[in-house]
Amino acid sequence: MTACFRLALAQIDFTVGDIAGNVAKIRAARAAAAGADLLVTSELSVTGYPPEDLVLKPAFVDDAMAAVHVLAGETADGGPALLVGVPWREAGLLHNAVALLDGGRIAALRFKVDLPNYGVFDEKRVFQPGPTPAPVEFRGLRLGLPICEDIWTPAVCSPLAAQGVDLLLVPNGSPFEADKDGVRVELAAARAAECGVPLVYLNQVGGQDELVFDGASFAVDPAGDLMFRMPAFQESLAVIEWRKGTDGWRPLDGPAAAIPDRLGQIYGAMMLGLRDYVAKNRFPGVVLGLSGGIDSAISAAVAVDALGPERVWCVMLPSRYTSRDSLEDAELCAKLLGCRLDEVGIEPAVAAFGQMMGPVFEGRKPDITEENIQSRARGLALMAISNKFGHMVLTTGNKSEVSVGYATIYGDMCGGYSVLKDIYKTTVFALSRWRNENRPEGALGPDGAVMPERVITKPPTAELRENQKDQDSLPPYEELDDILECLVEQEMAFEDVVARGHAPATVRRIEQLLYVAEYKRRQAAPGVKIGRKLFGRDRRYPITNGFRDAR
């Protein structure tokens, strides 16, 4: 048995569906890892993860399998063997598989057993589970190759340990979620302890529509201690030498990347999600309405940090209700960020609508209708810029407002993507303060403050009527967000929410607003998943819904 083993881990940003591009990245990583025995890539690396219903298209699976055969042939050159993820068709069944490629051939295939079917995952729709896997013999080692969800319970790893393994190598496609990293490490440590061998957890990195994969790959020993850690939110290649001693296999070295604090992780996920959505969908940049308020200010900051100031176009869209403070704050935000700012007044459009609809509205007092016309005039202007120049509209509504319908469909909700879709308003404030004090690693924006302090401290307002404040229509955000955390994230019962100190009438009203706004959320832009219950992916409520817990 060998006593030395060089393992390369490729934490790569793959693109779903771009088989040729993904294979090119795998080839580049293999070339960079010359001298390694084995290069490991993440779950479904050949196709990108998650491919969703693409794998139901036979031609797509055919192309992916053909690419693996080509890669296998290339390993005849004596360089590193490859472990790649691929959808694999066998005996009429489609599996989520890993393929070990060595010596010019496919040396082994292993299929995922535990297919997740909750939250953002629906793998049981498209894949069939594999049999309990056996270890793979590789150059004198016995490797266990569970795939992602296979380590979340002992069901797959325990049989591997019973058959004897030296190392568990786990390719993952595990999306970012706030506070999830510790859960991953705990689960990996539990499996390593049960099996009595180290576990290497290799995660994908990059954005795929609403999901962000944060990387942060690591290894744990049977005692549960971290052996090494790769960086979060960036591509990375680590070539690590392992030696076998009296206490089993251990790495001689390895990266020791620091994980950002909680707000830093959230901000990093927002940056990476937007950067990859824009790049992979080939937009030249983004355009957004910069109102002088905190939501658009933090959205612009994330955009500049992700894309660079030259690819972010801000537009101030004032009306008669726009305050001088808002105009000044928007101008200073754009100046601090170094991005373009134009001003397009909406009063001509609002007046035209007033004249156009006057005969129909005769005898009716102004109400929310006129407010929504202002919002939709702004949306129309931003979409016109998008159509003319190709920039994607970045929508700026936060989760608190979208939860209760405090957003105008076809108005401020219009756009192609949102970095605040899963961010409650209290977190918007916290992120804004954090960014004014910190510049994230990899950010393309400036050092120092990105918005004036007044943007953070002034009372939030939509400025659609005289002296309007958000709190005219909603409870204070600290109270609202706690109620929404209970109702949305935790699915708590009405009486349990009230028991936290909230007035029954307030909880009843928020629940009603939450339910009746579902039709708006179904038409909302995609956005970065941050918490446990992203609207539309994790939380899928019916639009037509007669149930109310608060009776």
Side-chain angles (χ1 to χ4, degrees):
M1 177 179 287
T2 183
C4 180
F5 175 61
R6 286 177 62 81
L7 178 67
L9 302 174
Q11 186 174 282
I12 296 175
D13 188 346
F14 295 109
T15 299
V16 166
D18 184 10
I19 295 172
N22 295 338
V23 167
K25 286 194 169 190
I26 293 170
R27 284 195 183 105
R30 183 172 182 262
D37 292 291
L38 175 64
L39 173 74
V40 181
T41 64
S42 53
E43 182 176 10
L44 293 180
S45 53
V46 171
T47 60
Y49 184 85
E52 302 187 77
D53 284 8
L54 270 176
V55 297
L56 299 180
K57 197 171 190 65
F60 179 71
V61 176
D62 291 343
D63 286 355
M65 293 175 64
V68 170
H69 282 288
V70 172
L71 282 173
E74 294 171 6
T75 62
D77 63 2
L82 287 170
L83 187 70
V84 299
V86 61
W88 197 266
R89 191 188 304 111
E90 187 166 286
L93 301 178
L94 186 63
H95 298 283
N96 180 337
V98 289
L100 178 63
L101 314 180
D102 190 25
R105 65 189 180 92
I106 299 175
L109 284 165
R110 292 296 182 266
F111 302 143
K112 191 172 184 177
V113 178
D114 193 352
L115 301 175
N117 202 55
Y118 58 86
V120 300
F121 305 106
D122 52 6
E123 288 191 32
K124 288 182 179 178
R125 254 183 102 243
V126 295
F127 292 119
Q128 294 297 315
T132 301
V136 171
E137 298 282 351
F138 176 73
R139 301 187 186 181
L141 282 83
R142 289 173 63 82
L143 302 176
L145 303 177
I147 304 171
C148 200
E149 194 80 8
D150 286 342
I151 70 164
W152 284 65
T153 68
V156 175
C157 292
S158 291
L160 285 168
Q163 298 172 73
V165 292
D166 297 304
L167 196 63
L168 293 170
L169 300 181
V170 190
N172 290 268
S174 181
F176 172 78
E177 193 174 290
D179 307 315
K180 186 178 181 181
D181 182 70
V183 175
R184 291 176 184 148
V185 174
E186 288 176 10
L187 286 166
R191 301 293 88 78
E194 292 160 5
C195 298
V197 298
L199 184 150
V200 178
Y201 184 105
L202 178 69
N203 195 23
Q204 178 175 318
V205 71
Q208 171 58 30
D209 295 343
E210 292 168 304
L211 303 182
V212 169
F213 299 89
D214 50 318
S217 305
F218 61 89
V220 289
D221 64 20
D225 295 324
L226 274 175
M227 305 173 90
F228 58 79
R229 164 82 81 170
M230 296 172 71
F233 304 111
Q234 58 183 276
E235 291 187 305
S236 181
L237 176 69
V239 181
I240 301 164
E241 184 169 343
W242 292 68
R243 290 282 177 90
K244 186 176 184 183
T246 56
D247 57 348
W249 286 91
R250 296 192 65 86
L252 296 186
D253 53 13
I259 299 299
D261 62 24
R262 188 175 191 273
L263 290 174
Q265 290 181 49
I266 292 172
Y267 197 94
M270 294 160 67
M271 278 175 53
L272 182 53
L274 179 62
R275 178 181 295 157
D276 271 6
Y277 193 83
V278 170
K280 292 178 180 180
N281 289 289
R282 300 180 178 87
F283 291 106
V286 298
V287 60
L288 70 153
L290 192 63
S291 68
I294 193 168
D295 293 327
S296 61
I298 192 65
S299 295
V302 171
V304 168
D305 284 336
L307 305 172
E310 71 282 355
R311 299 179 68 193
V312 179
W313 186 351
C314 294
V315 185
M316 182 66 183
L317 299 148
S319 75
R320 74 186 79 170
Y321 303 115
T322 301
S323 68
R324 171 52 52 185
D325 284 357
S326 293
L327 292 169
E328 292 173 354
D329 290 343
E331 184 176 1
L332 185 51
C333 278
K335 184 177 180 180
L336 289 169
L337 291 169
C339 60
R340 176 176 177 176
L341 176 67
D342 286 295
E343 183 174 316
V344 178
I346 64 167
E347 279 303 316
V350 173
F353 269 103
Q355 182 178 4
M356 183 173 70
M357 300 304 297
V360 179
F361 291 171
E362 188 175 1
R364 298 272 183 161
K365 293 181 179 180
D367 55 18
I368 196 172
T369 305
E370 282 71 23
E371 295 181 24
N372 287 343
I373 285 173
Q374 296 172 62
S375 180
R376 290 180 179 129
R378 292 185 170 110
L380 182 62
L382 291 172
M383 288 305 303
I385 293 171
S386 175
N387 289 162
K388 185 66 70 174
F389 297 97
H391 290 56
M392 182 195 75
V393 175
L394 185 65
T395 186
T396 59
N398 64 71
K399 191 171 187 177
S400 304
E401 295 167 354
V402 173
S403 292
V404 295
Y406 195 72
T408 304
I409 194 167
Y410 321 125
D412 56 317
M413 288 181 68
C414 80
Y417 202 72
S418 171
V419 295
L420 298 184
K421 182 174 183 175
D422 209 22
I423 303 288
Y424 288 110
K425 188 77 169 189
T426 48
T427 307
V428 170
F429 284 109
L431 285 168
S432 298
R433 291 194 180 280
W434 182 90
R435 180 57 184 92
N436 266 359
E437 298 168 359
N438 299 272
R439 183 174 183 264
E441 186 173 356
L444 302 177
D447 289 318
V450 294
M451 66 185 75
E453 180 68 14
R454 185 169 63 184
V455 169
I456 302 173
T457 58
K458 67 185 178 183
T461 172
E463 292 191 324
L464 297 174
R465 62 176 184 268
E466 290 288 355
N467 301 315
Q468 183 183 25
K469 300 291 185 290
D470 288 6
Q471 305 304 273
D472 299 339
S473 307
L474 299 171
Y477 279 113
E478 292 79 7
E479 180 181 6
L480 174 62
D481 285 358
D482 188 68
I483 293 172
L484 291 172
E485 167 72 25
C486 295
L487 295 177
V488 175
E489 311 298 326
Q490 300 185 37
E491 300 285 6
M492 287 172 60
F494 171 77
E495 58 269 20
D496 294 331
V497 183
V498 171
R500 290 172 64 89
H502 299 294
T506 302
V507 177
R508 189 174 292 111
R509 176 169 171 257
I510 297 306
E511 183 198 48
Q512 173 68 7
L513 291 173
L514 175 67
Y515 284 155
V516 299
E518 187 65 39
Y519 81 98
K520 290 186 178 182
R521 292 190 291 270
R522 288 287 185 96
Q523 301 176 67
V528 182
K529 172 181 166 63
I530 297 295
R532 288 169 293 179
K533 291 292 183 72
L534 175 67
F535 287 129
R537 289 295 298 251
D538 300 285
R539 187 182 188 275
R540 308 178 209 178
Y541 266 56
I543 296 173
T544 305
N545 173 17
F547 174 77
R548 297 294 184 272
D549 189 25
R551 294 183 286 275

